[in-house]
Amino acid sequence: AKKKQYQPALYKLLDRVLEIGRNEDGIFYNAVNAKTGEIIDNKIVDNWGYVFDAYYSVWLVDKKEEYREAVLNGFTNLNEKYRNYKWEGDSHDGYADALESGINLYNREPVPELKSWIDSEMQVMYAMQQDDGIIGGWHGDGNFARTAIMYSLWKTQGTHVYPWREDVIIGAEKTNDETYIVINADNEWSGKLVFDTQRHKTILNLPIDYPRINQFPEWFTANKGEEYSIVSSQKELSGKYLGEQLLSGIPIQLKAGEKLIVAIQ
């Protein structure tokens, strides 16, 4: 009953924003007059994806397909028309929000064009950091850091090595059926490969992982009680593992210059 009560009003609001709030590329303006439909600021908003989170969340709950289509249409032209775009002028804060918008949605809808745009524009944002490590010298530098962490978690599929050392490099890529993890170190290293958990369940106690502002999306996650298969370039690591083992970390050793490859499903 409560769901039926909120739906008409919510749909009316969201539909109105879609009607008057987007440019020809399906991305939201900075500001519009909701009553008259007048465009007050025709620049596009850096938080475009965070606005789309509302539509995607409604789709997750109500399966209102036109809202998912609006999200998908909203980043179709990014890779062709919005490279090196001046989000909030020259502000790294605007770039960070635009990229977080993309990363958050790519986690749910892994469209190749969106991936290309994110990879390209992260290099633009990284170039804004000065030689001394400072970006802008104000609290918005934390936004830059958060975006960099979000990007790194994507590129490691949520895995990390412990203990961390500067010369130990880890990266990961997901295919249709498997996730591949590659680790190498300049010098001999021993430690653990640790996997992520479904944090929306284990920490926040949420029933679904709905897209939300400033979240660190989940990529490959291990679940307690489930079994996983690993094939590794180090044969002794290949075999079956329980989720609990992955969450506590798999002990590994690397020789200097060795490249370890782990495929997990």
Side-chain angles (χ1 to χ4, degrees):
K2 289 183 178 179
K3 183 177 179 180
K4 290 181 179 179
Q5 288 174 0
Y6 82 72
Q7 279 179 332
L10 177 62
Y11 291 169
K12 186 176 181 179
L13 172 63
L14 293 176
D15 290 345
R16 179 63 172 165
V17 174
L18 289 180
E19 177 189 0
I20 64 172
R22 298 178 294 171
N23 68 4
E24 65 276 9
D25 296 320
I27 309 178
F28 298 105
Y29 294 115
N30 265 339
V32 297
N33 185 315
K35 285 187 176 181
T36 65
E38 176 190 2
I39 301 169
I40 298 172
D41 184 344
N42 66 0
K43 295 184 178 65
I44 61 173
V45 66
D46 57 321
N47 284 301
W48 59 271
Y50 280 148
V51 179
F52 274 130
D53 283 353
Y55 292 88
Y56 203 83
S57 294
V58 173
W59 176 77
L60 286 174
V61 176
D62 293 345
K63 298 304 178 186
K64 194 171 174 61
E65 189 61 35
E66 53 264 47
Y67 287 171
R68 178 173 177 266
E69 287 301 318
V71 173
L72 292 172
N73 292 336
F75 53 69
T76 300
N77 293 301
L78 281 173
N79 196 46
E80 286 189 12
K81 301 176 66 173
Y82 293 92
R83 287 197 175 198
N84 294 284
Y85 186 81
K86 291 186 179 297
W87 305 98
E88 292 189 353
D90 295 320
S91 170
H92 71 274
D93 182 63
Y95 242 88
D97 287 336
L99 282 160
E100 288 181 16
S101 289
I103 294 170
N104 209 31
L105 290 176
Y106 182 80
N107 177 262
R108 277 81 185 183
E109 297 287 347
V111 176
E113 291 79 7
L114 180 56
K115 179 180 186 293
S116 296
W117 178 82
I118 297 168
D119 285 336
S120 166
E121 301 311 283
M122 281 299 301
Q123 302 311 309
V124 178
M125 192 191 80
Y126 282 148
M128 297 178 182
Q129 187 172 26
Q130 302 173 48
D131 292 339
D132 60 3
I134 299 298
I135 299 94
W138 60 293
H139 68 263
D141 287 14
N143 198 356
F144 179 104
R146 184 181 62 241
T147 308
I149 293 171
M150 287 176 65
Y151 186 69
S152 297
L153 287 172
W154 169 29
K155 294 303 183 178
T156 62
Q157 289 294 297
T159 62
H160 69 277
V161 293
Y162 181 84
W164 177 85
R165 203 175 66 195
E166 189 172 0
D167 68 305
V168 182
I169 307 298
I170 179 172
E173 184 69 50
K174 184 181 183 300
T175 65
N176 290 334
D177 300 319
E178 294 180 303
T179 296
Y180 289 86
I181 303 158
V182 179
I183 309 171
N184 59 34
D186 292 340
N187 302 292
E188 186 175 325
W189 178 85
S190 63
K192 290 183 175 183
L193 171 61
V194 185
F195 291 79
D196 198 8
T197 183
Q198 288 184 316
R199 287 172 274 109
H200 74 280
K201 287 184 179 180
T202 60
I203 297 175
L204 299 178
N205 296 311
L206 295 174
I208 60 172
D209 185 26
Y210 73 94
R212 51 204 182 274
I213 190 169
N214 295 351
Q215 79 164 125
F216 292 125
E218 300 167 11
W219 302 96
F220 182 90
T221 57
N223 303 319
K224 291 182 178 180
E226 294 187 12
E227 188 177 72
Y228 300 84
S229 176
I230 284 180
V231 177
S232 174
S233 57
Q234 291 184 0
K235 292 183 180 180
E236 63 273 18
L237 292 180
S238 299
K240 303 291 185 181
Y241 291 82
L242 289 175
E244 290 87 339
Q245 292 174 283
L246 302 183
L247 294 172
S248 63
I250 301 173
I252 59 175
Q253 291 186 334
L254 293 177
K255 298 176 182 178
E258 180 183 2
K259 179 187 290 185
L260 171 66
I261 300 175
V262 172
I264 184 168
Q265 61 178 359

